[in-house]
Amino acid sequence: MKRKQTFGGIVLLVLMVGSCIYFMQSKNPERVSIVEEQIGNKEKVVQAQRLIKEEGNTITERFVVPSGYKRTVEGEQSFGMFLRNYPLKKYGSPILLFDETEKASQNNHEAIFAMKIGNRDLQQCADSVMRMYAEYLYATDQKEKIAFHFVDEFLCDYEHWKNGYRVHFDSRDNPYWERSAEMQDDTEVFEKYLNTVFAYSSTLSMSKEGNFIPLSEIRIGDVFLHAGSPGHVVMVVDTCKNMEGNVCFLLAQGFMPAQEFHILKNPDEESSPWYDISKIQGNLITPQYRFDTNELVHLRYLD
């Protein structure tokens, strides 16, 4: 009996809404279009919420792939799996700056990585990407691969650093290695190394660390990079593919001033946080930057 009453109530509600819209359309067609647009926007928001599980603590747990798609296969010890399993802050957390104040705009992100940013204005966009690569190589015992160029092309590698060498500068500000500390390898030493890298590297130096690739070859860990002063860079942190081979991806960024690394919303698609390759024409539009599609770069850090 309750079931019949519920069904009857739904039918009555539908009829009432339909009559309302019909009446409004005959009296005020412009108002009807506004109402329909609002309903459509609400449906998009609901769909976006279906693709995000607020209780999820990692990319894999929080972000559901679009209908018809499956996550790309990544090796168990790969950078892709490292990113997918990286801890995220609680859903709805605000982006914090290096001084622990909140970023002015809090409308452009879907998630925040629980990643260190330090207490200085150093870890900006390119630095956040470098940290992610460095943390992966450190965690998987590939420390010999941790090396980043300064803007002047000096190679600052962690092998030198942990063996007691430090970067010094001559009278012309040219960097060079000099052994001035004891051999040591721990997280404190690692953080000091990264801060030095962040101070002297940027999108300009990163632009020389890889090769431009076509959009069709996109994979986790690639970046959209516009070198400049300032330039900007965002990282592909997850990918999925459908039966036809089309790829969707998630993007993350750091920004100025130094702030937490966060997964971006898709400003062109309210119903999904995923960027769809088939819908990108000429430009990739992110909430705070516009890239050309030919600015996709595969970095050498994992090669």
Side-chain angles (χ1 to χ4, degrees):
M1 189 68 179
K2 288 183 179 179
R3 194 174 289 176
K4 288 185 178 179
Q5 288 175 350
T6 302
F7 178 74
I10 293 173
V11 171
L12 180 60
L13 179 61
V14 170
L15 289 173
M16 289 174 65
V17 171
S19 299
C20 236
I21 291 178
Y22 176 79
F23 176 77
M24 289 169 63
Q25 192 166 19
S26 62
K27 300 294 183 181
N28 192 345
E30 292 183 359
R31 175 60 181 164
V32 171
S33 65
I34 293 172
V35 171
E36 289 176 341
E37 182 180 350
Q38 290 174 343
I39 293 172
N41 289 338
K42 287 179 181 178
E43 288 176 349
K44 288 179 180 179
V45 171
V46 170
Q47 184 176 341
Q49 289 172 342
R50 291 196 195 105
L51 295 177
I52 297 176
K53 294 183 177 179
E54 297 183 6
E55 68 278 9
N57 295 316
T58 64
I59 288 177
T60 304
E61 294 173 352
R62 186 170 298 180
F63 293 92
V64 179
V65 299
S67 178
Y69 284 76
K70 291 184 177 180
R71 279 190 159 88
T72 53
V73 178
E74 306 291 332
E76 195 62 34
Q77 296 297 315
S78 67
F79 186 53
M81 290 302 292
F82 178 78
L83 288 173
R84 284 175 176 169
N85 294 317
Y86 202 100
L88 299 177
K89 295 180 69 174
K90 183 179 178 181
Y91 183 80
S93 296
I95 298 170
L96 299 181
L97 304 181
F98 66 95
D99 59 3
E100 298 187 351
T101 61
E102 293 186 10
K103 182 178 179 178
S105 172
Q106 297 288 340
N107 301 317
N108 299 321
H109 68 284
E110 299 285 11
I112 302 172
F113 287 87
M115 189 170 82
K116 292 181 180 179
I117 57 171
N119 57 7
R120 299 166 61 191
D121 189 9
L122 287 176
Q123 191 172 298
Q124 300 178 358
C125 60
D127 313 298
S128 296
V129 170
M130 288 185 283
R131 170 181 280 281
M132 193 60 82
Y133 275 108
E135 284 194 12
Y136 165 71
L137 294 171
Y138 193 94
T140 54
D141 200 24
Q142 301 180 70
K143 299 173 186 177
E144 72 283 354
K145 292 183 179 181
I146 302 175
F148 303 96
H149 285 92
F150 291 172
V151 172
D152 65 5
E153 299 187 2
F154 177 82
L155 183 64
C156 185
D157 61 285
Y158 186 62
E159 283 292 301
H160 267 91
W161 195 277
K162 74 176 186 178
N163 285 317
Y165 290 87
R166 296 293 181 266
V167 178
H168 295 265
F169 294 86
D170 63 21
S171 58
R172 296 184 178 180
D173 287 333
N174 295 311
Y176 64 94
W177 287 114
E178 182 176 302
R179 191 166 188 177
S180 55
E182 296 182 358
M183 294 178 60
Q184 194 174 356
D185 178 18
D186 55 33
T187 55
E188 183 178 351
V189 170
F190 180 60
E191 289 298 323
K192 289 180 179 179
Y193 161 78
L194 287 178
N195 281 338
T196 299
V197 170
F198 298 161
Y200 299 104
S201 301
S202 71
T203 56
L204 290 169
S205 54
M206 182 174 283
S207 66
K208 301 175 183 178
E209 303 274 36
N211 299 308
F212 290 98
I213 59 174
L215 197 58
S216 59
E217 295 181 11
I218 194 169
R219 52 183 163 170
I220 299 177
D222 291 337
V223 297
F224 287 91
L225 172 64
H226 183 84
S229 185
H232 192 44
V233 58
V234 296
M235 176 184 275
V236 178
V237 293
D238 201 6
T239 54
C240 60
K241 185 181 292 188
N242 65 9
M243 292 292 290
E244 288 73 40
N246 189 59
V247 175
C248 292
F249 56 93
L250 296 176
L251 290 175
Q253 71 169 20
F255 210 71
M256 299 185 293
Q259 59 195 251
E260 294 177 307
F261 197 52
H262 51 278
I263 295 178
L264 293 168
K265 288 185 176 182
N266 181 352
D268 282 345
E269 188 60 68
E270 293 181 34
S271 62
S272 174
W274 296 86
Y275 289 74
D276 186 336
I277 281 184
S278 68
K279 297 181 180 179
I280 299 174
Q281 303 294 329
N283 296 114
L284 171 71
I285 300 173
T286 69
Q288 293 177 286
Y289 210 85
R290 180 191 297 264
F291 296 90
D292 291 335
T293 52
N294 61 8
E295 291 182 309
L296 178 63
V297 177
H298 175 70
L299 299 171
R300 62 153 186 83
Y301 303 138
L302 303 181
D303 296 340

